[in-house]
């Protein structure tokens, strides 16, 4: 079974826990040195090189090696980093407890470390395993406590209650954390669905559903924005208005459903020839508009001529393989026209093309 690699968030928390282990080691070492130096000369058992070697150098070196192993696993075996940190947290606690004097009756509380680490990962299995290990440790504490030492037994009972409370709180934290994560996932999913709906609604408000071109409203908004932008940063701009010749005859002879097919195929030819910087829209009925930008008039006329001949040479099966033609009026924007006058001049050019024979391009 393929195991997915850890996510960036998992790697982040593994790194946080490793950093915490390093901090604990430094604090532990500093406290050991403080105790040894403060008791130097006052208590023989805490003085001398042998104590330093047996109770500071060796155990802390073992903890250091353990942390270095965790660092290697984190870097080279990230899939095993989480599990290795859980296991190491128990070893970490046990090694520290074994090195502390029996005089420190609160040292069993160090076993809270693996419980807390398990809680951070929000996994029941980790917390159950840590709780079982703590339970075994508590049992060993009671077995090693003299029956007459009531004070120590009461302390062990208190420690047991602390472990039990921490474990129960841990399961509650994990359950609550999962609820929050589920709520977050649901919120993210709802937000994504809403964004998709907004995108769809935005598209529906801008796109003509029959031809998949932009609609009349979007054309006027875009043309107005282009003209405003062009006045501040001049660039070539041409507007072409296209009208299908004798379209009423197509509807009357073949039906409106064939007329819809003609509109779709004319739109497809337009999209086939215009560039990524150009804009095509269905203006209304059988009339279309194309905005051509960032190219000289000669290139734009060449594109419109390809569209003109492409439509005229396209047989339509539903019309007994006959084709339709279009008339095209163009206007080369000179930087002084308004939006309305720009469209008016292209529309006048279209009227001239219609009047003088159709299936042609006229430029005003």
């Amino acid at each position: 079974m393929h195991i997915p690699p850890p996510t960036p968030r998992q790697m982040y928390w593994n790194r946080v826990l490793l950093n915490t282990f390093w901090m604990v080691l430094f604090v532990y070492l500093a406290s050991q040195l403080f105790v040894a130096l403060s008791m130097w000369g006052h208590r023989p058992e805490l003085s001398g090189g042998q104590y330093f070697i047996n109770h500071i150098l060796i155990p802390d070196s073992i903890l250091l090696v353990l942390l270095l192993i965790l660092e290697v696993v984190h870097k080279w075996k990230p899939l095993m980093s989480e599990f290795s940190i859980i296991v190491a947290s128990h070893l970490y606690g046990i090694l520290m407890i074994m090195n502390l004097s029996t005089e420190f009756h609160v040292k069993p509380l160090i076993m809270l470390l693996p419980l807390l680490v398990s809680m951070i990962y929000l996994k029941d299995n980790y917390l159950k395993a840590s709780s079982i290990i703590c339970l075994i440790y508590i049992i060993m504490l009671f077995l090693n406590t003299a029956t007459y030492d009531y004070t120590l037994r009461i302390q062990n009972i208190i420690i047991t209650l602390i472990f039990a409370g921490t474990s129960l709180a841990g399961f509650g934290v994990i359950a609550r954390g999962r609820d929050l994560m589920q709520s977050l996932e649901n919120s993210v999913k709802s937000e994504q669905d809403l964004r998709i709906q907004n995108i769809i609604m935005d598209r529906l408000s801008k796109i003509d559903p029959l031809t998949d071109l932009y609609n009349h409203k979007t054309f006027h908004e875009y043309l107005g924005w282009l003209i405003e932008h062009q006045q501040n940063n001049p660039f070539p701009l041409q507007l072409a208005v296209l009208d299908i010749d004798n379209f009423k005859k197509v509807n009357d002879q073949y039906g409106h459903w064939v007329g819809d097919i003609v509109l779709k195929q004319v739109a497809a030819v337009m999209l086939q020839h215009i560039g990524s910087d150009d804009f095509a829209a269905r203006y209304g009925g059988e009339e279309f508009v194309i905005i051509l930008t960032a190219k000289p008039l000669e290139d734009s006329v060449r594109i419109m001529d390809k569209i003109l001949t492409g439509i005229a040479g396209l047989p339509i099966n539903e019309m007994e393989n006959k084709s339709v033609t279009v008339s095209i009026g163009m206007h080369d924007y000179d930087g002084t026209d308004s939006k309305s006058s720009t469209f008016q001049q292209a529309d006048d050019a279209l009227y001239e093309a219609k009047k003088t024979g159709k299936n042609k391009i006229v430029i005003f």
Side-chain angles (χ1 to χ4, degrees):
M1 183 177 66
H2 174 68
I3 301 176
T7 64
R9 295 304 301 172
Q10 289 173 321
M11 294 295 291
Y12 168 79
W13 282 109
N14 291 343
R15 182 69 265 167
V16 168
L17 289 172
L18 287 175
N19 292 342
T20 303
F21 283 176
W22 282 108
M23 291 175 60
V24 170
L25 176 60
F26 292 143
V27 172
Y28 180 58
L29 176 60
S31 63
Q32 286 177 305
L33 293 175
F34 174 76
V35 171
L37 293 176
S38 61
M39 293 293 103
W40 195 272
H42 299 285
R43 296 183 61 174
E45 67 273 18
L46 298 180
S47 304
Q50 194 63 34
Y51 173 83
F52 179 81
I53 294 174
N54 294 337
H55 294 277
I56 297 179
L57 182 60
I58 294 177
D60 288 1
S61 297
I62 295 174
L63 292 175
L64 177 61
V65 171
L66 179 62
L67 285 181
L68 292 177
I69 292 174
L70 289 179
E71 290 289 351
V72 171
V73 173
H74 177 73
K75 183 173 183 179
W76 300 106
K77 297 288 184 180
L79 288 175
M80 299 178 61
S81 183
E82 183 177 300
F83 179 74
S84 63
I85 289 175
I86 289 293
V87 173
S89 66
H90 293 88
L91 297 176
Y92 208 83
I94 292 171
L95 288 171
M96 292 174 67
I97 290 172
M98 290 175 60
N99 187 50
L100 290 175
S101 171
T102 56
E103 296 180 6
F104 302 114
H105 300 308
V106 295
K107 67 179 184 178
L109 292 178
I110 295 177
M111 290 303 293
L112 288 174
L113 178 64
L115 290 176
L116 296 175
V117 172
S118 301
M119 291 166 57
I120 289 177
Y121 283 121
L122 296 178
K123 292 186 178 180
D124 286 336
N125 292 336
Y126 290 162
L127 187 56
K128 288 177 182 177
S130 298
S131 299
I132 291 173
I133 292 174
C134 287
L135 177 61
I136 295 173
Y137 178 68
I138 288 295
I139 293 174
M140 293 175 62
L141 279 180
F142 277 99
L143 292 177
N144 292 326
T145 303
T147 55
Y148 58 83
D149 195 345
Y150 295 107
T151 301
L152 188 56
R153 281 182 171 271
I154 291 174
Q155 290 178 351
N156 290 341
I157 291 173
I158 294 173
I159 291 172
T160 302
L161 292 175
I162 293 175
F163 281 160
T166 303
S167 295
L168 292 175
F171 287 114
V173 168
I174 291 175
R176 180 59 177 160
R178 287 178 175 175
D179 287 342
L180 291 175
M181 290 174 64
Q182 186 62 47
S183 298
L184 180 60
E185 289 178 3
N186 293 338
S187 298
V188 171
K189 187 176 184 303
S190 298
E191 184 179 356
Q192 290 175 342
D193 292 342
L194 182 60
R195 287 181 179 178
I196 292 173
Q197 291 177 4
N198 289 338
I199 292 172
I200 293 174
M201 293 300 295
D202 184 64
R203 175 177 170 79
L204 290 175
S205 69
K206 294 181 177 180
I207 300 296
D208 174 63
L210 178 63
T211 61
D212 211 31
L213 300 177
Y214 288 104
N215 57 25
H216 178 280
K217 176 176 177 293
T218 307
F219 158 70
H220 279 290
E221 291 176 351
Y222 187 62
L223 179 61
W225 180 85
L226 275 181
I227 289 177
E228 181 181 351
H229 187 65
Q230 204 272 353
Q231 291 171 349
N232 297 325
N233 303 281
F235 58 88
L237 172 66
Q238 297 86 30
L239 174 64
V241 182
L242 300 80
D243 188 84
I244 301 176
D245 299 324
N246 305 314
F247 187 69
K248 185 177 183 302
K249 291 183 180 180
V250 174
N251 285 329
D252 292 342
Q253 184 175 353
Y254 299 101
H256 286 84
W257 68 278
V258 175
D260 289 346
I261 293 174
V262 171
L263 292 172
K264 291 180 182 179
Q265 296 199 11
V266 168
V269 173
M270 292 167 53
L271 290 174
Q272 179 182 353
H273 292 287
I274 64 174
S276 58
D277 295 330
D278 302 327
F279 176 95
R282 183 184 179 190
Y283 193 78
E286 68 273 19
E287 197 169 43
F288 301 88
V289 287
I290 296 178
I291 303 174
L292 303 116
T293 61
K295 57 181 70 68
L297 177 62
E298 295 77 12
D299 291 346
S300 294
V301 171
R302 196 174 299 112
I303 291 173
M304 297 310 302
D305 187 62
K306 290 180 180 179
I307 292 175
L308 184 81
T309 56
I311 293 172
L314 179 66
I316 299 175
N317 297 334
E318 291 77 8
M319 291 176 53
E320 301 170 354
N321 288 328
K322 297 178 182 178
S323 61
V324 296
T325 61
V326 294
S327 298
I328 301 175
M330 290 187 66
H331 173 65
D332 186 26
Y333 181 78
D334 61 6
T336 60
D337 297 324
S338 65
K339 183 183 78 170
S340 58
S341 64
T342 299
F343 181 80
Q344 185 62 53
Q345 293 189 67
D347 198 48
D348 290 344
L350 171 65
Y351 178 78
E352 183 67 19
K354 287 280 192 183
K355 188 174 67 174
T356 57
K358 302 179 181 179
N359 191 28
K360 62 191 300 188
I361 300 174
V362 173
I363 304 171
F364 277 8

